[in-house]
Amino acid sequence: MILDTAARRLRDQGLDGLNIKGVAEDAGISHATLIHHFGSSAEMRDALAEKMTADLINDLIKALQAQAPTEQLVENVFAAISEGGHAKLIAWRVSEGRLDSDPLGQAKTLFERLLSHTEGKLASDIGERRRLIYLITTAALGAGLAGGVVQTMFGMSEEEVSGFPAWLSGRL
């Protein structure tokens, strides 16, 4: 429950939302109780990163196991990365220089599976597929990090934004 609260605060408020006092208050517990569970703010953040990374891996596994047509697979992968605070998790880990942690190594393995799964569907050339998956991933990361801001800047409707992954998939 505490980590779910912290994840929601990260998603909604960014790294500034990951303070002990705010997380404890939102979780309906005392500051001391939170410290009792994790020991420190840094340990809470590490536990959160571990949980969110596992959630990201699970979401990517579900996206790949769906055995969906390529267009749906692209949309599933886009959603797995851009939603649930996963993009902010990746940005956070990059900013800490901790992107090479073991669970994110698992994500690399999943993307290798994605390359195999899309052979002959996105492109026959592995370099071209890698670039297309790179495009999908970076678009999803951007949407997860700054999509709301960009949506407002461009005057896009919710419908236009929610339809973007399908639009992108259709262009690939």
Side-chain angles (χ1 to χ4, degrees):
M1 183 237 349
I2 296 169
L3 292 177
D4 289 341
T5 300
R8 187 173 48 257
R9 287 179 62 89
L10 174 64
R11 183 184 64 240
D12 297 344
Q13 300 173 26
L15 285 176
D16 289 340
L18 291 183
N19 59 69
I20 294 278
K21 182 180 178 207
V23 171
E25 186 176 297
D26 284 4
I29 61 173
S30 72
H31 176 265
T33 300
L34 195 144
I35 293 295
H36 172 75
H37 283 290
F38 296 103
S40 70
S41 177
E43 290 179 50
M44 178 193 70
R45 288 178 182 213
D46 285 345
L48 173 62
E50 193 173 304
K51 178 190 182 308
M52 288 183 71
T53 301
D55 290 347
L56 171 60
I57 299 300
N58 288 333
D59 288 350
L60 287 170
I61 289 170
K62 287 178 194 171
L64 289 174
Q65 288 177 338
Q67 298 300 320
T70 302
E71 295 79 17
Q72 186 61 51
L73 178 64
V74 168
E75 291 177 45
N76 291 349
V77 169
F78 193 97
I81 295 169
S82 66
E83 297 172 3
H86 295 325
K88 289 184 180 176
L89 166 69
I90 293 169
W92 171 26
R93 300 308 271 182
V94 166
S95 73
E96 290 184 329
R98 296 176 69 181
L99 192 60
D100 292 332
S101 66
D102 183 55
L104 289 175
Q106 293 174 33
K108 182 177 179 182
T109 301
L110 290 171
F111 281 109
E112 293 298 324
R113 282 179 48 198
L114 181 60
L115 277 172
S116 295
H117 184 74
T118 56
E119 185 174 1
K121 297 175 184 176
L122 280 180
S124 57
D125 177 66
I126 191 165
E128 183 70 8
R129 281 195 322 277
R130 198 177 300 277
R131 285 185 288 274
L132 289 171
I133 292 169
Y134 177 85
L135 172 65
I136 295 161
T137 303
T138 55
L141 285 168
L145 286 171
V149 172
V150 174
Q151 175 184 354
T152 301
M153 284 181 358
F154 292 175
M156 294 176 73
S157 68
E158 279 296 322
E159 185 176 286
E160 288 174 302
V161 171
S162 65
F164 178 77
W167 176 88
L168 177 61
S169 177
R171 299 306 177 275
L172 301 177

